[in-house]
Amino acid sequence: MKLTFELHTLYFKRPFKIAHGVRTSTPIVLTQLEHEGIIAYGEASMPPYLGESHETVLSFLNKASVLLSKFQHPFEIESILKEVNLIETANTAAKASIDIALHDLNGRLQNQPCWKIFDCDKNKTPYTTYTLGIDEPEIIKQKIVEGSDYKYFKVKLNGENDKAIIENIRNVTDKPIAIDVNQGWRDKYIALEMMEWLANKNVLFVEQPLAKVNWDDARWLYERSPLPLFADESVQRYADIDKVKDCFHGINIKLMKCTGMFEANKMIKRARELNLKILIGCMSETSCAISAAAQLSPLVDYADLDGSLLIKNNLFDGITFTEGKITLNDLPGIGVVKKV
Ligand code: MG
């Protein structure tokens, strides 16, 4: 198998405000895996908190391309990914780009969509949330209008003006909202007071209210919270799931954190065993990585896969949304076509 890659930058339609700053772009790397004339695609997206950059991904992929050239057949996904995982301990996004391309390649070689290979029911996809973000009241209102096709909104809060943001949204729409605090609430008392205030505001769940390492406070909040709590930054890979089971009601699985589709599928199975709810999420990504995650979406409860809708330069056509419901196609692999 031959691995090649390209560097790109994705630009947001609007500045993206999160708990610790404002971003206008995200670096990504697109990978291509070639076998017997068939080309498959993968993607690494690198938000700052993952600690990866164009340089770290390139350095990893250069090592991986030597390794992959030794494999004659792409079918042994598990053993190939095991060796890829051992190249470095971190680099989860770089690993995900190889995992996605490998699944895409297998699907293309078998002429089957990945959702079928994962034994999913194409019709059981969830609806995605549509992100409103942290913004001025007028801009939030505008985003609600732009997202009128979507059934659920995702609201980012950061500990400043949180109640005003929610009240502003509730003046415009009563649609269910999912809340993501991105570790933004200072302590457990503030968090509990906010959860109680949010409890009658038609909120689906609250994601990562406290700092990711703050396990004692997460458990304290879990025991008292009137709303479901989801771990995002606190759970990255398979090995983290057992740690969160007594501190959160659910987990947010993202391909860029967990090294891709293979491990995400394992995490879904483990989360089900532990009775955890599952959200499948994304970073700022093109329709390549979004479509890869969507292949597994019939297996989860909620989806937050609007990353490709929020960027100006989507480099792929892939899965679509029908009034917010993830709509899988029948194309082989992850179901994408690269734009020229
Ligand atoms: Mg989150």
Side-chain angles (χ1 to χ4, degrees):
M1 281 179 290
K2 191 175 163 224
L3 179 73
T4 52
F5 27 90
E6 297 170 2
L7 308 187
H8 289 276
T9 302
L10 298 181
Y11 297 96
F12 303 141
K13 286 179 183 163
R14 292 183 199 278
F16 187 74
K17 295 183 194 173
I18 51 169
H20 306 291
V22 177
R23 287 162 50 215
T24 55
S25 67
T26 295
I28 61 155
V29 176
L30 298 183
T31 55
Q32 282 194 16
L33 204 49
E34 198 182 332
H35 178 71
E36 291 177 350
I38 293 188
I39 293 173
Y41 300 101
E43 175 176 4
S45 170
M46 293 88 78
Y49 91 93
L50 275 187
E52 283 192 80
S53 62
H54 273 149
E55 291 70 31
T56 64
V57 173
L58 283 195
S59 148
F60 184 89
L61 292 178
N62 277 316
K63 292 175 202 164
S65 85
V66 178
L67 174 75
L68 290 169
S69 67
K70 292 181 196 155
F71 284 93
Q72 296 297 314
H73 301 291
F75 302 116
E76 290 164 56
I77 292 186
E78 187 166 8
S79 47
I80 296 170
L81 292 176
K82 211 176 252 177
E83 291 209 30
V84 169
N85 192 44
L86 291 172
I87 297 174
E88 296 283 351
T89 46
N91 293 102
T92 56
K95 288 172 184 173
S97 77
I98 295 173
D99 166 287
I100 294 168
L102 199 55
H103 282 88
D104 192 32
L105 183 59
N106 271 276
R108 287 172 190 263
L109 288 166
Q110 295 172 53
N111 201 24
Q112 295 278 352
C114 289
W115 57 262
K116 214 174 241 179
I117 298 171
F118 280 107
D119 209 14
C120 292
D121 180 344
K122 188 189 176 184
N123 300 312
K124 287 200 175 148
T125 53
Y127 287 77
T128 185
T129 49
Y130 184 83
T131 301
L132 299 178
I134 298 166
D135 243 309
E136 304 308 317
E138 276 316 302
I139 296 181
I140 290 186
K141 275 185 193 166
Q142 229 174 300
K143 288 183 183 173
I144 290 171
V145 174
E146 285 168 12
S148 59
D149 269 358
Y150 295 83
K151 196 173 170 181
Y152 307 127
F153 288 119
K154 172 159 175 168
V155 182
K156 302 238 175 207
L157 297 180
N158 65 355
E160 294 165 29
N161 308 316
D162 290 348
K163 289 182 183 175
I165 290 172
I166 299 297
E167 273 164 357
N168 176 41
I169 291 167
R170 284 292 170 245
N171 286 334
V172 189
T173 176
D174 55 8
K175 279 185 189 176
I177 52 177
I179 291 187
D180 190 359
V181 190
N182 287 113
Q183 316 182 66
W185 287 338
R186 221 174 37 248
D187 66 50
K188 62 185 181 184
Y189 302 106
I190 291 174
L192 183 59
E193 198 266 322
M194 276 304 295
M195 304 290 287
E196 284 168 349
W197 185 81
L198 289 167
N200 62 355
K201 299 277 188 297
N202 201 12
V203 170
L204 298 167
F205 55 82
V206 175
E207 212 181 298
Q208 200 69 46
L210 298 166
K212 63 178 177 182
V213 291
N214 207 342
W215 294 106
D216 291 340
D217 289 352
R219 192 172 306 111
W220 183 91
L221 190 60
Y222 170 78
E223 285 160 3
R224 291 161 178 80
S225 173
L227 288 168
L229 293 160
F230 275 63
D232 182 5
E233 288 85 344
S234 288
V235 59
Q236 303 228 346
R237 299 198 58 178
Y238 180 84
D240 300 324
I241 301 183
D242 284 58
K243 280 189 262 172
V244 304
K245 70 176 192 294
D246 299 319
C247 304
F248 292 91
H249 303 86
I251 58 169
N252 184 348
I253 298 176
K254 294 177 180 168
L255 299 188
M256 297 303 141
K257 292 190 300 185
C258 77
T259 73
M261 299 165 77
F262 184 82
E263 187 153 325
N265 187 41
K266 265 177 63 182
M267 290 175 80
I268 290 168
K269 293 202 173 105
R270 183 64 187 145
R272 288 287 177 229
E273 285 167 7
L274 296 170
N275 275 325
L276 288 165
K277 291 277 180 200
I278 307 164
L279 163 68
I280 193 153
C282 64
M283 307 296 182
S284 302
E285 296 164 1
T286 74
S287 285
C288 177
I290 295 292
S291 298
Q295 302 299 311
L296 294 163
S297 70
L299 304 174
V300 308
D301 304 296
Y302 299 103
D304 175 25
L305 292 180
D306 65 344
S308 60
L309 303 172
L310 308 176
I311 54 169
K312 284 186 205 163
N313 53 329
N314 190 356
L315 303 159
F316 285 85
D317 287 319
I319 61 103
T320 51
F321 301 98
T322 312
E323 290 176 356
K325 185 174 162 68
I326 293 169
T327 308
L328 296 165
N329 59 44
D330 294 321
L331 294 172
I334 59 169
V336 299
V337 176
K338 196 175 181 200
K339 293 182 188 174
V340 279

